[in-house]
Amino acid sequence: MIISKFCRAAAILSAALLFLTVLSVRAAIPPAENLLPADTLVMLTIPDFSRARADAHESPQWLFWNDPAMKPFHDKFVSGLNDALIGPLEADLGVKIDDFEDLPQGQLTFAISRNNWDGKGDHSPGIIFLLDAKDKADLLKANLATLQKKWTENGKTLRTQTVRGVPFSVVMISSNDVPGALTNLFTPRPQTQELGRQPEPEKPHELVVGQFGSLLIVGNSIEAVDPIVAHLTGSEMPALADDSTFAADKIAQFHGTPLYYAWFDANTYFGILAATPPPEPNSQAPTVFPSMQWNKLITAMGLTGVKSICFSYNDTREGAQANVFIAAPEATRQGLLKMFAPESRTAVPPAFVPANATRFVRWRIDGQQAWKTLQEMLNNISPSATIGLNAAIDMANANAQQKNPGFDIRKSLFENLGDDFIRYEKPPASSAANPAAAPSLFLFSVQNGDHAVAAINTLVSMAASGQKAPEPRAFQGHKIITIPLPGAGRARGPASSQRFLYCSAGDGYVALTTDVSMLEGYLRSAANPPKPLSGLPGLIDAAQHVGGTGNGVFGFQNQRELLRTLFKTLNAQSPDGMAAFGPMFLLPKELRDSMDFSLLPDYDAVSKYFYFTVYAGSSTPNGISFETFTPRPPQLN
């Protein structure tokens, strides 16, 4: 009797556990590729936001931003950001941003679907946003209710529409609905009107918001969100995972469990653009410039030969790695893809590249074939462009042949190119007026160096006509040619305002630079080799993460020294001068004012958070790949 009751209880417990297991499986939100429609054009997803958040808090960038030495700068920037944007935005929306901060727990996905878009009619691509709150589904529901209440209070008309049994709130929005905090912060683009054509009235757009279990679903139309709900409710409608191109890319490119990954259906997108007819000419606003022939441009550049583009990123205790793969079959490559596809040759830093180089890249491509491909591409885009290019070359030849009757730039330069292109930088001199003015040297391999130098001299001197060049000088058994650059010496001022291009040939390369000390250092290295970059501790080990140095492209960036230069540059700028510094001028004044770079600490106090980055490229019959790897700084291990 006791045994019978025990068995009955065990059976009930087993059934309950089985029911709970089935329930939890049903409640689990499928990955993005199983939810998105088969006609997805772009997809970017973070599969596990909780993991991404935890890893980000251990990243060197996060640790640097929260280092005590950064506190004065950090606090002022955050305070300015809150005053200029976050606070006003919360007031406009009637919500607290902090209430939404913890909502992303599972996947966070952004996608664009084709949604019957053909580039011609009124159909627009579908825009989709997905957020899995997991165990915070109740908080998600409460926050959505707060938003809906705010919309209603602001006079918005909400309607409820059921999609496969799931209710969605639909609200019409326009540019007038952009929160005042954003419109006040950013200068709006001025409206322009083409002569002879009435501007089309702005069409309001739909914002569709719904919740299925723990998943927030946002789209720009009911049609855009319908496939998501279909896949959640058991429909056998095809999903992105069923697309053969995506399925193959996922196996080949999205290894392991990346922190986030993205996919782009390039074949469909560029195919639609190539088939889109140019706009009709406006007789009341004629122009001498021909309308852009997108089909010719896209085809000539080789973009219609791209099947897809994949991107993935991961961060481990070893370092951060990002991979890009362009699926472009070798047999059908044209234009840019054909020009820049690397050859499988060594790209290791040569012995003359010094260990104190801050940037280095070596790219192995057939220079002569690249020149032919460039000509074909230009001719396919616009035959008149090819005619103009050849006319300029013929003019340069005619000028040069006055002194050298047998001179031919095509043979001396373009048909003289080799298969090796190198560029590297060194830190700016401590006495440099501009701390960011890093000297660099560019080298390319040739069959006859003297002929190539003469061709470069001819081409550059034409642009700087009327300026007398200094006489060539001998250095370390080589001849250095000094060529005035366009504009050099025309403006009144000290001699330091003049700019020159320094050029020399030797050892199968032509070297070019605007800093003569870089050229002299390179020429001197043959007899007195520097400590090489290739011997930098950790470089070869890091290179293995990107496939090594033998696949045709290899690059290096010394982030620690580049950031040292950036700190010097920022400290050298006056507060008023920061408005014109780099991308700073794009930021609103309120945000610029909150970046007080005088509060930055001494760089040595935070340099431990920076190290170096390596990257490499390779070409296979299936496509072209680029990989980057940043080892974790040793001081943080």
Coordinates of all heavy atoms in Angstrom, one line a residue, residues 4-72:
S4 N 2.5 1.6 -3.3 CA 1.6 2.0 -4.3 C 1.4 3.5 -4.2 O 1.4 4.2 -5.2 CB 0.3 1.3 -4.1 OG -0.7 1.8 -5.0
K5 N 1.3 4.1 -3.0 CA 1.1 5.5 -2.8 C 2.4 6.3 -3.2 O 2.3 7.3 -3.8 CB 0.8 5.8 -1.3 CG -0.6 5.4 -0.9 CD -0.9 5.9 0.5 CE -2.3 5.5 0.9 NZ -2.6 5.9 2.3
F6 N 3.5 5.6 -2.9 CA 4.8 6.3 -3.3 C 4.9 6.3 -4.8 O 5.3 7.4 -5.4 CB 6.0 5.5 -2.7 CG 7.3 6.0 -3.1 CD1 7.9 7.1 -2.5 CD2 8.0 5.4 -4.1 CE1 9.1 7.6 -2.9 CE2 9.2 5.9 -4.5 CZ 9.8 7.0 -3.9
C7 N 4.5 5.3 -5.5 CA 4.6 5.2 -6.9 C 3.7 6.3 -7.5 O 4.0 6.9 -8.5 CB 4.3 3.8 -7.5 SG 5.6 2.6 -7.1
R8 N 2.4 6.4 -6.9 CA 1.5 7.3 -7.5 C 2.0 8.7 -7.3 O 1.9 9.6 -8.2 CB 0.1 7.2 -6.7 CG -1.0 7.9 -7.4 CD -2.3 7.8 -6.7 NE -2.7 6.4 -6.6 CZ -2.8 5.7 -5.4 NH1 -2.5 6.3 -4.3 NH2 -3.1 4.4 -5.4
A9 N 2.6 9.0 -6.1 CA 3.2 10.4 -5.9 C 4.3 10.7 -6.8 O 4.4 11.8 -7.3 CB 3.6 10.5 -4.4
A10 N 5.1 9.6 -7.0 CA 6.3 9.8 -7.9 C 5.8 10.1 -9.3 O 6.4 11.0 -10.0 CB 7.2 8.6 -7.9
A11 N 4.7 9.4 -9.7 CA 4.2 9.6 -11.1 C 3.6 11.0 -11.2 O 3.8 11.7 -12.2 CB 3.1 8.6 -11.4
I12 N 2.9 11.5 -10.2 CA 2.4 12.9 -10.2 C 3.5 13.9 -10.2 O 3.4 14.9 -11.0 CB 1.5 13.1 -9.0 CG1 0.2 12.2 -9.0 CG2 1.0 14.6 -8.9 CD1 -0.6 12.2 -7.8
L13 N 4.5 13.7 -9.4 CA 5.7 14.6 -9.4 C 6.4 14.6 -10.7 O 6.7 15.7 -11.3 CB 6.6 14.2 -8.3 CG 7.9 15.1 -8.2 CD1 7.5 16.5 -7.9 CD2 8.8 14.5 -7.1
S14 N 6.5 13.5 -11.4 CA 7.2 13.4 -12.7 C 6.4 14.1 -13.7 O 6.9 14.9 -14.6 CB 7.4 11.9 -13.1 OG 8.2 11.3 -12.2
A15 N 5.0 13.9 -13.6 CA 4.2 14.6 -14.6 C 4.2 16.1 -14.4 O 4.2 16.9 -15.4 CB 2.7 14.1 -14.4
A16 N 4.3 16.6 -13.1 CA 4.4 18.0 -12.9 C 5.7 18.6 -13.4 O 5.7 19.7 -14.0 CB 4.2 18.3 -11.4
L17 N 6.8 17.9 -13.1 CA 8.1 18.3 -13.6 C 8.1 18.4 -15.2 O 8.6 19.3 -15.7 CB 9.2 17.4 -13.1 CG 9.5 17.5 -11.6 CD1 10.5 16.4 -11.2 CD2 10.0 18.9 -11.3
L18 N 7.5 17.4 -15.8 CA 7.4 17.3 -17.2 C 6.6 18.5 -17.7 O 7.0 19.2 -18.7 CB 6.8 16.0 -17.7 CG 6.6 15.9 -19.2 CD1 8.0 15.9 -19.9 CD2 5.9 14.6 -19.6
F19 N 5.5 18.8 -17.0 CA 4.6 20.0 -17.5 C 5.4 21.3 -17.3 O 5.3 22.1 -18.2 CB 3.4 20.0 -16.6 CG 2.5 21.2 -16.8 CD1 1.7 21.4 -17.9 CD2 2.6 22.3 -15.9 CE1 0.9 22.5 -18.1 CE2 1.8 23.4 -16.1 CZ 1.0 23.5 -17.2
L20 N 6.1 21.4 -16.2 CA 6.9 22.7 -16.0 C 8.0 22.8 -17.0 O 8.3 23.9 -17.5 CB 7.5 22.7 -14.6 CG 6.5 22.9 -13.4 CD1 7.2 22.7 -12.1 CD2 5.8 24.2 -13.6
T21 N 8.6 21.6 -17.4 CA 9.7 21.7 -18.4 C 9.1 22.1 -19.7 O 9.7 23.0 -20.4 CB 10.3 20.3 -18.5 OG1 10.9 19.9 -17.3 CG2 11.4 20.3 -19.6
V22 N 8.0 21.5 -20.1 CA 7.3 21.9 -21.4 C 6.9 23.4 -21.4 O 7.1 24.1 -22.3 CB 6.1 21.0 -21.7 CG1 5.3 21.5 -22.9 CG2 6.5 19.6 -21.9
L23 N 6.4 23.8 -20.2 CA 6.0 25.2 -20.1 C 7.2 26.2 -20.2 O 7.1 27.2 -20.9 CB 5.3 25.4 -18.7 CG 4.7 26.8 -18.5 CD1 3.5 27.0 -19.5 CD2 4.2 26.9 -17.0
S24 N 8.3 25.8 -19.6 CA 9.5 26.7 -19.7 C 10.0 26.7 -21.1 O 10.5 27.7 -21.6 CB 10.6 26.2 -18.8 OG 11.0 24.9 -19.1
V25 N 9.9 25.5 -21.8 CA 10.4 25.5 -23.2 C 9.5 26.3 -24.1 O 10.0 27.1 -25.0 CB 10.4 24.0 -23.7 CG1 10.7 24.0 -25.2 CG2 11.5 23.2 -23.0
R26 N 8.2 26.3 -23.8 CA 7.3 27.1 -24.6 C 7.5 28.6 -24.3 O 7.4 29.4 -25.2 CB 5.8 26.7 -24.2 CG 5.4 25.4 -24.8 CD 3.9 25.1 -24.4 NE 3.5 23.9 -25.0 CZ 2.2 23.4 -24.7 NH1 1.4 24.0 -23.9 NH2 1.9 22.2 -25.3
A27 N 7.9 28.9 -23.1 CA 8.1 30.3 -22.8 C 9.4 30.9 -23.3 O 9.5 32.1 -23.4 CB 8.0 30.5 -21.2
A28 N 10.3 30.0 -23.6 CA 11.6 30.5 -24.1 C 11.5 31.2 -25.5 O 10.7 30.6 -26.3 CB 12.6 29.3 -24.2
I29 N 12.1 32.3 -25.6 CA 12.0 33.0 -26.9 C 13.0 32.5 -27.9 O 14.2 32.4 -27.5 CB 12.2 34.5 -26.6 CG1 11.1 35.1 -25.7 CG2 12.2 35.3 -28.0 CD1 9.7 34.9 -26.2
P30 N 12.6 32.1 -29.1 CA 13.6 31.6 -30.1 C 14.6 32.6 -30.5 O 14.4 33.8 -30.3 CB 12.7 31.2 -31.3 CG 11.3 31.1 -30.7 CD 11.2 32.1 -29.6
P31 N 15.8 32.2 -31.0 CA 16.8 33.1 -31.4 C 16.3 34.0 -32.6 O 15.3 33.6 -33.3 CB 17.9 32.3 -31.9 CG 17.3 30.9 -32.1 CD 16.2 30.8 -31.2
A32 N 16.9 35.1 -32.9 CA 16.5 36.0 -33.9 C 16.2 35.4 -35.2 O 15.2 35.7 -35.9 CB 17.5 37.2 -34.0
E33 N 17.1 34.6 -35.7 CA 16.9 34.0 -37.0 C 15.7 33.1 -37.2 O 15.3 32.9 -38.3 CB 18.2 33.3 -37.5 CG 18.6 32.2 -36.5 CD 19.7 32.7 -35.5 OE1 19.7 33.9 -35.2 OE2 20.5 31.9 -35.1
N34 N 15.2 32.6 -36.0 CA 14.0 31.8 -36.1 C 12.7 32.7 -36.0 O 11.6 32.2 -36.1 CB 14.0 30.8 -35.0 CG 15.1 29.7 -35.2 OD1 15.5 29.6 -36.3 ND2 15.4 29.0 -34.2
L35 N 12.9 34.0 -35.7 CA 11.7 34.9 -35.5 C 11.6 35.8 -36.8 O 10.5 36.1 -37.2 CB 11.9 35.7 -34.3 CG 11.8 35.0 -32.9 CD1 12.0 36.0 -31.8 CD2 10.4 34.4 -32.8
L36 N 12.7 36.2 -37.3 CA 12.7 37.2 -38.4 C 12.2 36.6 -39.7 O 12.4 35.4 -39.9 CB 14.1 37.8 -38.6 CG 14.6 38.6 -37.4 CD1 16.0 39.0 -37.6 CD2 13.7 39.8 -37.1
P37 N 11.5 37.3 -40.5 CA 11.0 36.8 -41.8 C 12.1 36.4 -42.8 O 13.3 36.9 -42.6 CB 10.2 38.0 -42.4 CG 10.8 39.2 -41.8 CD 11.2 38.8 -40.4
A38 N 11.8 35.6 -43.7 CA 12.8 35.1 -44.7 C 13.3 36.2 -45.6 O 14.4 36.0 -46.2 CB 12.2 33.9 -45.5
D39 N 12.5 37.3 -45.7 CA 13.0 38.4 -46.6 C 13.8 39.4 -45.8 O 13.8 40.6 -46.3 CB 11.8 39.0 -47.3 CG 10.8 39.7 -46.4 OD1 11.0 39.6 -45.1 OD2 10.0 40.5 -46.8
T40 N 14.4 39.1 -44.7 CA 15.2 40.0 -43.9 C 16.4 40.5 -44.7 O 17.1 39.7 -45.3 CB 15.6 39.4 -42.6 OG1 14.5 39.0 -41.8 CG2 16.5 40.3 -41.8
L41 N 16.6 41.8 -44.7 CA 17.7 42.4 -45.4 C 18.9 42.6 -44.5 O 20.0 42.4 -44.9 CB 17.3 43.7 -46.1 CG 16.3 43.7 -47.2 CD1 15.9 45.1 -47.6 CD2 16.8 42.9 -48.4
V42 N 18.6 43.1 -43.3 CA 19.7 43.4 -42.3 C 19.2 42.9 -41.0 O 18.1 43.1 -40.6 CB 19.9 44.9 -42.2 CG1 21.0 45.2 -41.2 CG2 20.3 45.5 -43.6
M43 N 20.2 42.3 -40.3 CA 19.9 41.8 -38.9 C 21.1 42.0 -38.1 O 22.2 41.6 -38.4 CB 19.5 40.3 -39.0 CG 19.2 39.7 -37.6 SD 20.7 39.0 -36.8 CE 20.9 37.5 -37.8
L44 N 20.9 42.6 -36.9 CA 21.9 42.8 -35.9 C 21.3 42.3 -34.6 O 20.3 42.8 -34.1 CB 22.4 44.2 -35.8 CG 23.3 44.6 -34.6 CD1 24.6 43.8 -34.7 CD2 23.5 46.1 -34.5
T45 N 22.0 41.3 -33.9 CA 21.4 40.8 -32.7 C 22.5 40.6 -31.7 O 23.6 40.2 -32.0 CB 20.7 39.4 -33.0 OG1 20.0 39.0 -31.8 CG2 21.7 38.4 -33.5
I46 N 22.1 40.8 -30.4 CA 22.8 40.4 -29.2 C 22.1 39.3 -28.6 O 21.0 39.5 -28.0 CB 23.0 41.6 -28.2 CG1 23.6 42.8 -28.9 CG2 23.8 41.1 -27.0 CD1 23.7 44.0 -28.0
P47 N 22.5 38.0 -28.8 CA 21.7 36.9 -28.4 C 21.4 36.9 -26.9 O 20.4 36.4 -26.5 CB 22.6 35.7 -28.8 CG 23.5 36.2 -29.8 CD 23.8 37.6 -29.5
D48 N 22.4 37.3 -26.1 CA 22.2 37.2 -24.6 C 22.7 38.5 -24.0 O 23.9 38.7 -23.8 CB 23.0 36.0 -24.0 CG 22.8 35.8 -22.5 OD1 22.2 36.8 -21.9 OD2 23.2 34.8 -22.0
F49 N 21.8 39.5 -23.8 CA 22.2 40.8 -23.4 C 22.8 40.8 -21.9 O 23.7 41.6 -21.6 CB 21.0 41.8 -23.4 CG 21.4 43.2 -23.4 CD1 21.7 43.9 -24.6 CD2 21.6 43.9 -22.2 CE1 22.1 45.2 -24.6 CE2 22.0 45.2 -22.2 CZ 22.3 45.9 -23.4
S50 N 22.3 39.9 -21.1 CA 22.9 39.8 -19.7 C 24.3 39.4 -19.8 O 25.2 40.0 -19.1 CB 22.1 38.7 -18.9 OG 20.8 39.1 -18.7
R51 N 24.7 38.5 -20.7 CA 26.1 38.1 -20.8 C 26.9 39.3 -21.4 O 28.0 39.6 -21.0 CB 26.2 36.9 -21.7 CG 27.7 36.5 -22.0 CD 27.8 35.7 -23.3 NE 29.1 35.6 -23.8 CZ 29.4 35.3 -25.0 NH1 28.5 34.9 -25.9 NH2 30.7 35.3 -25.4
A52 N 26.3 39.9 -22.4 CA 27.0 41.1 -23.0 C 27.3 42.2 -22.0 O 28.3 42.8 -22.0 CB 26.2 41.6 -24.2
R53 N 26.2 42.4 -21.2 CA 26.4 43.5 -20.2 C 27.5 43.1 -19.2 O 28.3 44.0 -18.8 CB 25.1 43.7 -19.4 CG 25.1 44.8 -18.4 CD 23.8 44.8 -17.5 NE 22.7 45.2 -18.3 CZ 21.6 44.4 -18.5 NH1 21.6 43.1 -18.1 NH2 20.6 44.9 -19.2
A54 N 27.5 41.9 -18.7 CA 28.5 41.4 -17.8 C 29.9 41.5 -18.4 O 30.9 41.9 -17.7 CB 28.2 40.0 -17.3
D55 N 30.0 41.1 -19.6 CA 31.4 41.1 -20.3 C 31.8 42.5 -20.5 O 33.0 42.9 -20.4 CB 31.3 40.4 -21.6 CG 31.3 38.9 -21.4 OD1 31.3 38.4 -20.3 OD2 31.3 38.2 -22.5
A56 N 30.9 43.4 -20.8 CA 31.2 44.8 -21.0 C 31.8 45.5 -19.8 O 32.7 46.3 -19.8 CB 30.0 45.6 -21.5
H57 N 31.2 45.1 -18.6 CA 31.7 45.6 -17.4 C 33.1 45.2 -17.0 O 33.7 45.7 -16.1 CB 30.7 45.3 -16.2 CG 29.4 46.1 -16.3 ND1 28.4 45.9 -15.5 CD2 29.0 47.0 -17.2 CE1 27.4 46.7 -15.8 NE2 27.7 47.4 -16.9
E58 N 33.6 44.1 -17.7 CA 34.9 43.7 -17.4 C 35.9 44.1 -18.5 O 37.1 43.8 -18.5 CB 34.9 42.1 -17.3 CG 34.2 41.6 -16.1 CD 34.8 42.0 -14.8 OE1 36.1 42.1 -14.8 OE2 34.1 42.3 -13.9
S59 N 35.4 44.8 -19.5 CA 36.2 45.2 -20.7 C 37.1 46.3 -20.3 O 36.9 47.1 -19.4 CB 35.3 45.7 -21.8 OG 34.7 46.9 -21.5
P60 N 38.3 46.4 -20.9 CA 39.2 47.5 -20.7 C 38.6 48.9 -20.8 O 38.9 49.8 -20.1 CB 40.3 47.3 -21.7 CG 40.3 45.8 -22.0 CD 38.8 45.5 -21.9
Q61 N 37.7 49.1 -21.8 CA 37.1 50.4 -22.0 C 36.2 50.8 -20.9 O 36.2 51.9 -20.4 CB 36.2 50.3 -23.3 CG 37.0 50.1 -24.6 CD 37.4 48.6 -24.8 OE1 36.9 47.7 -24.1 NE2 38.2 48.4 -25.8
W62 N 35.4 49.8 -20.3 CA 34.6 50.1 -19.2 C 35.4 50.4 -17.9 O 35.1 51.4 -17.2 CB 33.6 48.9 -18.9 CG 32.7 49.2 -17.8 CD1 32.8 48.9 -16.5 CD2 31.3 49.7 -17.9 NE1 31.7 49.3 -15.7 CE2 30.8 49.8 -16.6 CE3 30.6 50.1 -19.0 CZ2 29.5 50.2 -16.3 CZ3 29.3 50.6 -18.7 CH2 28.8 50.6 -17.4
L63 N 36.4 49.6 -17.7 CA 37.3 49.9 -16.6 C 38.0 51.2 -16.7 O 38.2 51.9 -15.7 CB 38.3 48.7 -16.5 CG 37.7 47.3 -16.2 CD1 38.8 46.3 -16.2 CD2 37.0 47.3 -14.9
F64 N 38.4 51.6 -17.9 CA 39.0 52.9 -18.1 C 38.0 54.0 -17.8 O 38.4 55.0 -17.0 CB 39.5 53.0 -19.5 CG 39.7 54.4 -20.0 CD1 40.8 55.2 -19.6 CD2 38.8 55.0 -20.9 CE1 41.0 56.5 -20.0 CE2 39.0 56.3 -21.4 CZ 40.1 57.0 -20.9
W65 N 36.8 53.9 -18.3 CA 35.8 55.0 -18.1 C 35.5 55.1 -16.6 O 35.1 56.2 -16.2 CB 34.6 54.6 -18.9 CG 33.5 55.7 -18.8 CD1 32.2 55.5 -18.4 CD2 33.5 57.0 -19.2 NE1 31.5 56.6 -18.5 CE2 32.3 57.6 -19.0 CE3 34.5 57.8 -19.7 CZ2 32.0 58.9 -19.3 CZ3 34.3 59.2 -20.0 CH2 33.0 59.7 -19.8
N66 N 35.6 54.1 -15.8 CA 35.2 54.1 -14.4 C 36.4 54.1 -13.5 O 36.2 54.0 -12.2 CB 34.3 52.9 -14.1 CG 32.9 53.0 -14.7 OD1 32.1 53.8 -14.2 ND2 32.7 52.3 -15.8
D67 N 37.6 54.3 -14.0 CA 38.8 54.4 -13.2 C 38.7 55.7 -12.3 O 38.2 56.8 -12.8 CB 40.0 54.5 -14.1 CG 41.3 54.4 -13.3 OD1 41.7 55.5 -12.7 OD2 41.9 53.3 -13.2
P68 N 39.1 55.6 -11.1 CA 39.1 56.9 -10.2 C 39.8 58.1 -10.8 O 39.4 59.2 -10.6 CB 39.8 56.4 -8.9 CG 39.5 54.9 -8.9 CD 39.6 54.5 -10.3
A69 N 40.8 57.8 -11.6 CA 41.6 58.9 -12.2 C 40.7 59.7 -13.2 O 40.9 60.8 -13.5 CB 42.8 58.4 -12.9
M70 N 39.7 59.0 -13.8 CA 38.8 59.6 -14.8 C 37.6 60.2 -14.2 O 36.8 60.8 -14.9 CB 38.4 58.5 -15.8 CG 39.4 58.1 -16.8 SD 39.9 59.4 -17.9 CE 38.3 59.5 -18.8
K71 N 37.5 60.2 -12.8 CA 36.2 60.6 -12.2 C 35.9 62.1 -12.5 O 34.7 62.4 -12.8 CB 36.3 60.4 -10.7 CG 35.1 60.7 -9.9 CD 35.2 60.3 -8.4 CE 34.0 60.9 -7.6 NZ 32.7 60.4 -8.2
P72 N 36.8 63.0 -12.4 CA 36.5 64.4 -12.7 C 35.9 64.6 -14.0 O 34.8 65.3 -14.2 CB 37.8 65.2 -12.5 CG 38.6 64.3 -11.6 CD 38.2 62.9 -11.9

